[in-house]
Amino acid sequence: MATRGSRSEKVKRIFQQFDTNRDGGLNRDEMAALVVAVNPRVKFSDEQINAILDEVFRTYGEFIDGEKGLTYDGLLRTYDDGAGDVDRDFDALGLELNFDENKGASIVSEASSSSIADERVIESQKKQRTVAWAVSPHHGIVFDDTWKLVDDLEILLKRLKAKQAKDAKFRNDNFDAYSDAGWSRELGASAELSEKRVYWEESGPDYALFVKELGALRSRADGARSREEAFDGHMAIGRVLYEHQLFKEALICFKRSCELQPMDVRPHFRAGNCLYVLGKSKEAKEEFLLALESAEAGGNQWGYLLPQIYVNLGIALEGEGMVLSACEYYREAAILCPTHYRALKLLGSALFGVGEYRAAVKALEEAIFMKPDYADAHCDLASALHGMGEDERAIEVFQKAIDLKPGHVDALYNLGGLYMDLGRFQRASEMYTRVLAVWPNHWRAQLNKAVSLLGAGETEEAKKALKEALKMTNRVELHDAIYHLKQLQKKKVKTNGGTNGEAAFVIMDPSKFKTLGEKTTLRQDLGNALQIRAFQRLTRLNRCEVDLLKKEMNETDVPVSYSGSGGPQKSIRKPNLEEVLRKLLNFLKPETFQGAVKAINEKILSVLDETGSGRVDLGMFYAVLAPLCSGPPDKRKRIAFDALLWRPVNEGGSHIRKVDAVQYIKLLRAIFIPSHGASEMLEVHGETDTSMVSFNEFLIMFNDPDWGFGILSTLLKLETGDRNRHERHVCSVCRYPIIGSRFKEVKSHFSLCNQCYSEGKVPPNFKQDEYKFKEYGKEAEAMKDKCLCFNLQSRKDP
C-alpha cells in the first residue's frame, strides 16, 4: 500500500498534469479533461460530465478558488474521501515519480515542497503505527489521545494472535475461489478486507482476557474530555478491530459511536458492515437506512458517500431476499457515480436474479467495459446470456471468467450445467471435477458429475460418483438416482440420444392417446397442470394460505392511480410488490424467496406489466395468485372474485364488470396456459361490454373447461397425490420410480409416469395404432382393479 507521502505526490503530479494554465486550480474544463483521461474506457455524455463536475464543485466548495477552480488540497481531499483511486488514476495517465537517489524522496515543485515535507514527517511517524485509514483527514484519527488507544489496542491484538497461533487456534481461509460479494466495506480509500478470512477462537481464557482489557480501553475512550474525543476513540478502536476481523467487538464500538453522534453517517455505515458480515442482514439494512437518512439530512457534507451507502443497502436487502428492492439502490449508486463498476455488476447480477436478462447483460457489459479483469462480472454475464439462449457466447464468457480466476467455483459449476443442457456430457463432467478439486464437499457438483457421466455412457464411473455424493448428503434425490442407475443396468437400456440415461422412446400424436374411465386425466391437460404445479412448488404458493390475500387487501391502503388508458387502478411498483410477497411468503429463507420472486416476475409480472412501466395492478395480481394458494378450491375462487371486487372500478358493490372477469380469465390462461394466451389476450382489448356479473356467474365462467380455468381440478389432483409412490413400479420410458399418478396402458401393460405420459412418450417396442391408459393415483386403486378383474375371471371360469 502506498504511504501517505507517495499518495500526496501522485496527486500533485496529477494536479500539475491538468493545471494547463498553471494558475494553481483546476477549472471545469481542466477537471472534465481529468475525469475523461482517468476513465479511458468510459464514453461520457456532456450531461454526465456536467453532473459529475456539479457534484464535485458543490461538495468541495471550500476548496474552490474562484475562477481558478479546485485547488490541489481539494483534489487530494477527493481522493482521501474515496472518490477515486490514486494508484489506478496515476497508472492510467502513464505518470512517473522522480526520486532523488540520495534521499529517496520525490522531487516536487519548490512552491509546495515545504508543506509536503512537513506532512511527510508527521504522517510517516503515524504510518509506522497503524493502517492508512487512520491518517485520512476526513475519516481518520483527530485527537492525539486516540493514537494512544490505538497503540495499546495493537499491542493487545499482537499478544492475542501470538497466543492463539501458538495453540493452533488462529487460522486463515482463502476465499479467492468464490465470487466476491462486491460490497463497499469502507468509506474512504483504505483497502478492503483481505481475501483471507480470519477465524478467532472466542471460547478460551486468552480471548476472555483480551475482551476484559478491551473493555478497559473503551472505558478510557468514554472518559475523554469531550463527546467528540470519545467518538473519535470508539471509532478508531472499532476500525482497528474491524481490520482484524473481530466484527462482534467492532460492532460494540460503532454502536457506542452512534450513541455519541447519532447524526454522523460513519458509525451507522460501519455498524451495518459488521452486522452484514455477521449474517444479520435485517439489522444491517436498518443501520444503512439510518446512514442514508443522515447523509441526506447532512446535505453536501456526506453527498460523496451516498453511492457506497446505496450499494451496501442493496446488498443487505439481497441478504433478506429482496432483490427487486436491491436493484433500485444499485441503480441510484450507478447514477450518482457512473464509474462505479461494482454497482453496475451488482445491478446486473440482481437483474439476472429476477429474470431480467437483457437489462442484466447491459449492466454487466458496462461493468466489464470499465474493469475488463472482473471475473465475477464475466461469470454473471455468461449466466444471463445462457438465460437468453445465447449459449455459444455464454461458453466463451464463462471461459474468460475461468481464465481470469482458474478456481472460480461459480463459473466452473455453471459452465458444467450449460454443457449438460447442450448434451456435452464429457465436458460437463470435467467442469464438475474441477469444482470438486476446489470444493471437495460440493454434493451438487458430485451428483451432477454422476449424471453427466451417465449421459456420457460411463455407467461404472457414474455409480462411483453417486456413492461419493451419498457420503456427502442423504437427500432423497440421491437415492432415486441410485435406484434409476440400477434399473438401467438391470434392463441394459441403451440411451439412443436420450438425456441423463433416458431410454429410447417414440413420441405419439395426442390423438392416439385414449383414456379409460372418467378419472383418467387427458394428456394435454396433465401437461399444462404439471407446469402450473412446478411453478406452484417453486414459488411455494401452495404453502401460502389464500386467506392471507384477503387479509392483505383489508389491511393495505393503496392509493388510486390512473393507467395509460385512463382507468383507475390500485397499482404499485415492483419493489413495493416484493414487500407484499415477503409478507405472504414470510416462512421462506432469503435464497428460496429470491427464487420465488424470479419465477413470479418471469411468469406473472411480465404479463401484468405488459407496457414495461414497472407498475402492477395489485387487485389483478391478488386474483391471479388466489387459485395457486392453499385452501379449499371454492375459497380460492371466492377470494379471486373478491380481489377483482377490491379494484377501484368495482369497489363498493357485490358485482364485477363482465369485461374485468373476461380479462382476468384470459390473463390466467395467458400466464398458465401460454399456448392459448396470446390470441385470447388480443381479444380483450377494446371490450365495451358494461354488464355486471355476480359471483355465481363468475364461477360458471371460471369453471368452463374450454374457455375458463377448469384446469384447476387437475391441479388439485396433483396437489394431493404428486408425492405418492407406487411400490417398485418404474416408468417404462425414463426408468425412474413412478411418483404421483401411474398411467397403465391396458393392452400392453406398460406404465408411464406423469411427465412421460404428458409428453406422449411410449417405449419403441410397443407400437400400436392407439393407446388406452388408466390412471392410478395410489397403488391401492391398482390392487382393487386387479382383484376385481380376478373375480370377474373366476366367475367366467366353470
Side-chain angles (χ1 to χ4, degrees):
M1 184 182 295
T3 64
R4 169 72 179 186
S6 64
R7 274 174 53 81
S8 302
E9 291 148 17
K10 286 183 176 182
V11 176
K12 174 63 71 175
R13 289 286 291 111
I14 294 171
F15 182 86
Q16 292 171 343
Q17 180 79 7
F18 290 92
D19 183 17
T20 53
N21 58 11
R22 297 292 184 265
D23 64 351
L26 299 180
N27 58 34
R28 289 183 71 90
D29 291 338
E30 292 167 338
M31 274 299 296
L34 170 58
V35 172
V36 171
V38 298
N39 295 285
R41 293 179 174 273
V42 183
K43 293 183 179 179
F44 291 103
S45 66
D46 291 340
E47 292 79 6
Q48 287 176 318
I49 288 289
N50 286 328
I52 293 170
L53 296 182
D54 288 344
E55 184 66 25
V56 170
F57 277 67
R58 182 171 58 251
T59 303
Y60 299 96
E62 60 186 295
F63 296 99
I64 303 300
D65 184 6
E67 294 297 322
K68 294 180 180 179
L70 188 71
T71 63
Y72 159 73
D73 290 333
L75 185 62
L76 181 62
R77 174 64 65 86
T78 67
Y79 281 111
D80 284 335
D81 289 346
D85 185 322
V86 176
D87 296 325
R88 183 185 71 84
D89 290 356
F90 194 81
D91 293 339
L93 295 169
L95 300 176
E96 293 182 0
L97 290 175
N98 297 318
F99 287 90
D100 184 303
E101 292 181 359
N102 297 323
K103 298 180 181 178
S106 298
I107 300 174
V108 294
S109 64
E110 208 171 296
S112 60
S113 61
S114 59
S115 62
I116 298 294
D118 292 342
E119 175 186 291
R120 190 182 305 125
V121 171
I122 298 169
E123 298 298 337
S124 64
Q125 294 172 353
K126 295 180 179 179
K127 282 294 295 178
Q128 293 172 5
R129 297 190 285 176
T130 190
V131 290
W133 60 264
V135 293
S136 165
H138 212 62
H139 307 294
I141 293 171
V142 177
F143 295 89
D144 288 339
D145 283 351
T146 302
W147 285 102
K148 298 174 184 176
L149 292 173
V150 169
D151 286 343
D152 290 347
L153 178 55
E154 292 284 3
I155 293 169
L156 294 180
L157 286 164
K158 287 179 183 176
R159 188 187 305 162
L160 177 64
K161 187 180 291 187
K163 288 181 179 178
Q164 293 206 349
K166 183 179 179 182
D167 298 335
K169 295 177 180 178
F170 179 86
R171 64 187 178 89
N172 291 336
D173 278 351
N174 192 353
F175 275 72
D176 185 55
Y178 307 102
S179 291
D180 179 18
W183 63 307
S184 301
R185 293 181 176 88
E186 297 301 334
L187 292 169
S190 62
E192 294 181 356
L193 287 178
S194 167
E195 288 177 337
K196 289 186 178 294
R197 177 69 190 270
V198 177
Y199 291 92
W200 297 86
E201 173 57 54
E202 299 180 5
S203 59
D206 294 335
Y207 191 83
L209 178 61
F210 168 77
V211 171
K212 181 180 179 181
E213 292 173 326
L214 179 60
L217 287 182
R218 291 195 184 108
S219 297
R220 281 170 54 189
D222 279 327
R225 289 164 290 187
S226 65
R227 291 178 70 87
E228 290 75 14
E229 186 171 345
F231 173 84
D232 192 47
H234 281 289
M235 286 296 293
I237 294 171
R239 288 294 295 275
V240 174
L241 292 169
Y242 185 91
E243 293 285 343
H244 288 83
Q245 301 190 35
L246 286 158
F247 302 114
K248 292 179 183 177
E249 302 303 328
L251 179 61
I252 295 171
C253 294
F254 294 140
K255 285 285 192 181
R256 177 61 181 140
S257 300
C258 291
E259 294 171 2
L260 290 166
Q261 292 193 14
M263 294 307 295
D264 195 299
V265 173
R266 295 167 294 177
H268 290 298
F269 185 89
R270 295 196 174 102
N273 291 345
C274 289
L275 287 163
Y276 181 80
V277 175
L278 294 170
K280 299 179 179 180
S281 297
K282 185 175 182 180
E283 293 92 327
K285 177 192 73 175
E286 297 303 325
E287 287 295 338
F288 291 136
L289 285 171
L290 288 171
L292 182 59
E293 183 182 338
S294 297
E296 290 174 341
N300 294 336
Q301 181 185 4
W302 305 111
Y304 62 93
L305 299 181
L306 281 173
Q308 296 181 68
I309 297 172
Y310 283 136
V311 164
N312 286 17
L313 180 52
I315 292 172
L317 284 163
E318 279 203 70
E320 289 188 273
M322 307 292 286
V323 186
L324 286 170
S325 301
C327 287
E328 294 292 293
Y329 289 107
Y330 296 146
R331 282 194 186 94
E332 289 293 333
I335 290 168
L336 284 176
C337 185
T339 59
H340 201 316
Y341 58 82
R342 281 187 188 276
L344 287 166
K345 184 268 177 189
L346 288 164
L347 174 60
S349 302
L351 288 167
F352 167 73
V354 293
E356 303 278 355
Y357 299 124
R358 292 191 181 281
V361 166
K362 183 179 179 182
L364 290 164
E365 284 179 338
E366 287 187 34
I368 291 170
F369 186 73
M370 293 182 195
K371 186 173 173 60
D373 61 346
Y374 204 165
D376 293 342
H378 280 91
C379 178
D380 288 350
L381 173 60
S383 297
L385 290 168
H386 177 42
M388 291 171 60
E390 297 185 24
D391 292 337
E392 291 305 320
R393 188 181 167 205
I395 291 173
E396 294 177 10
V397 180
F398 271 133
Q399 195 57 58
K400 177 65 175 177
I402 295 166
D403 291 342
L404 290 167
K405 189 184 284 190
H408 199 298
V409 167
D410 292 337
L412 291 167
Y413 184 83
N414 292 339
L415 181 54
L418 175 50
Y419 280 136
M420 285 267 282
D421 290 346
L422 297 174
R424 303 180 194 175
F425 299 111
Q426 195 61 49
R427 290 289 290 146
S429 68
E430 292 170 11
M431 292 301 110
Y432 293 127
T433 300
R434 290 179 66 178
V435 171
L436 291 164
V438 181
W439 189 346
N441 293 324
H442 198 308
W443 72 266
R444 291 186 186 277
Q446 189 69 54
L447 175 58
N448 285 343
K449 179 183 176 181
V451 174
S452 59
L453 287 168
L454 192 60
E458 300 181 26
T459 309
E460 286 302 316
E461 291 299 316
K463 190 175 180 181
K464 291 178 185 176
L466 274 176
K467 287 182 178 178
E468 287 298 317
L470 198 57
K471 292 177 184 178
M472 299 177 190
T473 183
N474 202 31
R475 296 173 71 95
V476 68
E477 53 258 54
L478 283 174
H479 293 281
D480 283 343
I482 290 171
Y483 184 69
H484 177 217
L485 185 59
K486 289 178 180 177
Q487 288 295 318
L488 288 174
Q489 289 178 314
K490 188 183 295 181
K491 298 289 183 182
K492 296 182 179 179
V493 176
K494 295 180 180 179
T495 57
N496 290 342
T499 58
N500 301 343
E502 193 174 80
F505 57 83
V506 178
I507 297 179
M508 306 307 298
D509 187 85
S511 62
K512 291 191 175 185
F513 269 37
K514 308 296 183 183
T515 58
L516 199 63
E518 294 180 357
K519 292 185 178 180
T520 302
T521 308
L522 291 172
R523 169 184 157 185
Q524 299 95 315
D525 288 348
L526 181 62
N528 289 325
L530 282 171
Q531 290 183 19
I532 299 171
R533 179 64 174 147
F535 174 78
Q536 192 184 38
R537 294 175 73 170
L538 176 61
T539 58
R540 280 33 174 217
L541 286 169
N542 56 310
R543 292 171 55 192
C544 172
E545 288 290 337
V546 73
D547 286 328
L548 288 176
L549 297 181
K550 184 71 173 177
K551 183 172 181 283
E552 280 297 315
M553 285 186 275
N554 292 335
E555 295 180 358
T556 306
D557 184 21
V558 181
V560 175
S561 59
Y562 289 84
S563 64
S565 61
Q569 287 184 352
K570 291 182 177 178
S571 67
I572 60 174
R573 295 169 63 252
K574 284 186 180 181
N576 302 116
L577 184 65
E578 186 180 47
E579 294 174 10
V580 173
L581 278 172
R582 198 68 183 108
K583 294 179 188 175
L584 297 173
L585 301 173
N586 57 34
F587 50 85
L588 293 183
K589 293 181 179 178
E591 58 272 19
T592 312
F593 179 71
Q594 282 189 27
V597 170
K598 178 181 181 181
I600 290 169
N601 188 47
E602 288 183 302
K603 199 169 189 72
I604 298 178
L605 302 187
S606 61
V607 177
L608 293 182
D609 181 25
E610 60 180 346
T611 63
S613 66
R615 300 188 71 86
V616 175
D617 182 335
L618 189 56
M620 190 63 77
F621 178 72
Y622 285 144
V624 169
L625 288 192
L628 274 64
C629 293
S630 65
D634 291 341
K635 182 175 283 189
R636 300 187 200 183
K637 297 170 192 176
R638 177 73 233 189
I639 289 181
F641 182 82
D642 289 345
L644 296 174
L645 203 60
W646 182 71
R647 300 170 76 220
V649 289
N650 299 311
E651 204 167 15
S654 59
H655 290 61
I656 62 173
R657 297 189 309 172
K658 186 175 182 179
V659 65
D660 292 337
V662 171
Q663 183 191 25
Y664 164 63
I665 289 170
K666 291 189 175 181
L667 273 171
L668 275 183
R669 292 173 68 83
I671 291 167
F672 298 116
I673 315 175
S675 58
H676 301 281
S679 60
E680 292 179 5
M681 281 306 297
L682 289 173
E683 299 169 19
V684 173
H685 298 284
E687 292 270 6
T688 57
D689 191 344
T690 58
S691 60
M692 309 294 283
V693 296
S694 65
F695 176 58
N696 289 332
E697 291 169 320
F698 170 78
L699 284 180
I700 294 170
M701 297 171 67
F702 187 98
N703 293 331
D704 188 299
D706 298 318
W707 298 102
F709 201 65
I711 200 170
L712 180 60
S713 60
T714 307
L715 178 63
L716 292 168
K717 188 189 292 187
L718 289 176
E719 288 179 10
T720 55
D722 64 357
R723 291 184 180 273
N724 294 340
R725 291 178 175 254
H726 295 259
E727 297 178 354
R728 307 297 289 179
H729 287 283
V730 297
C731 176
S732 297
V733 171
C734 68
R735 310 305 305 173
Y736 272 101
I738 293 178
I739 304 173
S741 290
R742 176 164 74 95
F743 291 85
K744 181 181 178 182
E745 209 287 319
V746 296
K747 181 179 179 181
S748 301
H749 302 291
F750 64 84
S751 295
L752 298 179
C753 64
N754 276 333
Q755 196 65 44
C756 289
Y757 173 77
S758 71
E759 294 171 1
K761 295 177 180 178
V762 297
N765 51 329
F766 293 114
K767 291 185 178 179
Q768 299 168 195
D769 290 334
E770 68 175 23
Y771 300 83
K772 289 186 178 180
F773 289 95
K774 185 161 187 182
E775 179 179 358
Y776 295 109
K778 298 179 181 178
E779 204 51 37
E781 296 172 7
M783 290 298 295
K784 185 178 178 182
D785 249 15
K786 195 173 183 180
C787 292
L788 186 60
C789 290
F790 180 77
N791 290 336
L792 289 173
Q793 186 65 38
S794 298
R795 290 175 185 175
K796 288 179 182 179
D797 293 337

